[in-house]
Amino acid sequence: MLRDIMSTQTISVQPDEKLKNVANLMVSSGIRRVVVNVGSTPLGVISARTVLREALANANWGDKEAKDVMRPGIFADPDTPVKAGAKIMARYGIGSLLIRGGGIVTERDVARALPRMNIPAIAVATTQVFTMPVDMTYADAASAMVNMGISHVPLTEGNRIVGLVSLRDVLKALVNGDFNAKMKEKEYYSKNLVTLPDDATVSDVANLITSKNIGSVLLMEEGTNLTSDLRGIVTEWDLVRTYANSVRAYVLVKVESSKIRNVLAALALTPRVTSLSAVYGPYDILVTVDVESQDVLGTFVTQSIGNISGVKETLTMIEAEQI
């Protein structure tokens, strides 16, 4: 339930608070969202992206009031299942839910609650990764993030990735008066690249994001930081979206009797397969499969399971269940 993962200590401001003060509060508190209250009643949310959008559009952005730029809050009951909460976030394209009675659930909270899923991370990653030279300005990075709807940009120098800049980094540069500074000269960005090999799973990414308290993971050829070896980026939002759409299905497999051991070995190494068990009757193996969407299921069963040598027939259970 959302009550089990929500934060009850929300950072809030009143509707007439100046946006400059809201930005300062975000930076000093190390957060990306501030709740706008009327008295003690939540009304809406201001995100770091909203602040940056205003800063890019208006030189006097800091004088705007919170009520003029906030996004109306999307509310959920505390007894809402986490899966249902992720679906609401994905449907409305929002990074947080306000919880009735007090509290907030963010992308990272959902990432922490993510069940183990053996889905390839590359299947849910952004594979056409936008990068920027490190000698561009924080304002350049903000413009790209706002216009492209992204939160993290790998920074390059020559043919190497040398860092990663986030919305929070850009907001800090704005608050400190370094919005137009080159990133290589004012290092608010992170030089410590957090990476996984491109055969990592969604669970691997979720574990790394939550253990290191970060917003994204780069998928790369292991042991390199060359731009040519960057395969994709997975963010907290990708995890929310994947969890919202994911299903678990059960596939019955009939196998040539002489090849059961080989088929079991092949299935154990197949991405998206989470468990195997023997069955009795016209089929031999029950395969539990996690997929990132219902649309992927049929193709996966046909091409990945059906093509294993020794598999004679497959039957996908009609009712796939939510993970």
Side-chain angles (χ1 to χ4, degrees):
M1 300 300 177
L2 294 182
R3 70 165 66 253
D4 299 321
I5 66 171
M6 69 182 189
S7 301
T8 56
Q9 302 299 316
T10 58
I11 305 296
S12 63
V13 298
Q14 293 298 302
D16 59 354
E17 190 68 70
K18 298 296 185 183
L19 193 54
K20 177 69 172 178
N21 296 334
V22 175
N24 285 330
L25 182 59
M26 287 182 182
V27 171
S28 63
S29 303
I31 56 177
R32 289 185 298 172
R33 297 174 184 88
V34 167
V35 179
V36 180
N37 285 352
V38 177
S40 60
T41 303
L43 182 65
V45 176
I46 297 177
S47 68
R49 189 183 305 278
T50 297
V51 175
L52 294 174
R53 182 181 294 112
E54 294 295 329
L56 289 167
N58 183 359
N60 297 319
W61 65 273
D63 294 329
K64 286 196 170 184
E65 295 186 347
K67 65 177 182 291
D68 297 324
V69 301
M70 73 175 189
R71 182 172 184 170
I74 303 295
F75 290 81
D77 291 323
D79 290 331
T80 301
V82 176
K83 175 83 169 186
K87 282 182 173 291
I88 295 171
M89 294 169 75
R91 181 182 306 124
Y92 290 101
I94 54 175
S96 63
L97 285 174
L98 296 179
I99 307 303
R100 292 186 179 92
I104 189 171
V105 169
T106 67
E107 297 159 303
R108 191 158 302 172
D109 296 323
V110 174
R112 290 192 182 101
L114 207 70
R116 184 183 184 279
M117 292 189 290
N118 200 32
I119 297 169
I122 196 68
V124 305
T126 298
T127 53
Q128 299 297 318
V129 184
F130 177 78
T131 63
M132 294 185 74
V134 72
D135 59 359
M136 301 289 278
T137 68
Y138 285 98
D140 294 326
S143 180
M145 290 176 177
V146 168
N147 292 331
M148 300 175 69
I150 58 178
S151 302
H152 301 83
V153 177
L155 301 176
T156 62
E157 191 167 42
N159 65 346
R160 305 183 75 81
I161 299 173
V162 296
L164 186 79
V165 65
S166 69
L167 277 172
R168 189 177 296 175
D169 300 328
V170 176
L171 183 66
K172 189 172 183 179
L174 173 67
V175 166
N176 290 342
D178 292 323
F179 201 45
N180 293 308
K182 291 184 177 182
M183 289 181 280
K184 68 184 301 182
E185 296 173 356
K186 292 286 186 177
E187 294 179 357
Y188 295 104
Y189 68 90
S190 175
K191 287 186 171 182
N192 297 319
L193 298 177
V194 179
T195 67
L196 282 171
D198 55 9
D199 60 352
T201 66
V202 166
S203 289
D204 295 330
V205 173
N207 291 339
L208 201 54
I209 279 178
T210 54
S211 65
K212 292 186 174 293
N213 201 34
I214 54 176
S216 66
V217 172
L218 300 179
L219 303 180
M220 302 191 70
E221 290 289 334
E222 201 163 5
T224 176
N225 64 343
L226 296 176
T227 55
S228 59
D229 292 331
L230 176 60
R231 299 292 179 258
I233 183 170
V234 183
T235 66
E236 294 166 305
W237 177 249
D238 294 319
L239 297 181
V240 171
R241 177 175 51 82
T242 300
Y243 185 35
N245 296 322
S246 60
V247 294
R248 175 164 292 162
Y250 303 93
V251 183
L252 290 167
V253 181
K254 183 183 295 186
V255 183
E256 294 177 24
S257 57
S258 62
K259 295 187 176 181
I260 287 182
R261 183 174 297 179
N262 291 340
V263 170
L264 284 170
L267 286 170
L269 297 175
T270 301
R272 298 181 177 87
V273 171
T274 60
S275 67
L276 304 168
S277 59
V279 293
Y280 299 96
Y283 292 90
D284 302 293
I285 304 170
L286 177 65
V287 185
T288 305
V289 176
D290 290 346
V291 291
E292 55 271 30
S293 71
Q294 184 76 46
D295 294 340
V296 174
L297 181 57
T299 301
F300 170 74
V301 172
T302 302
Q303 297 183 357
S304 296
I305 296 180
N307 283 339
I308 295 175
S309 177
V311 170
K312 296 170 62 178
E313 184 181 328
T314 64
L315 174 66
T316 303
M317 306 297 280
I318 295 175
E319 294 186 1
E321 66 178 13
Q322 296 182 351
I323 297 175

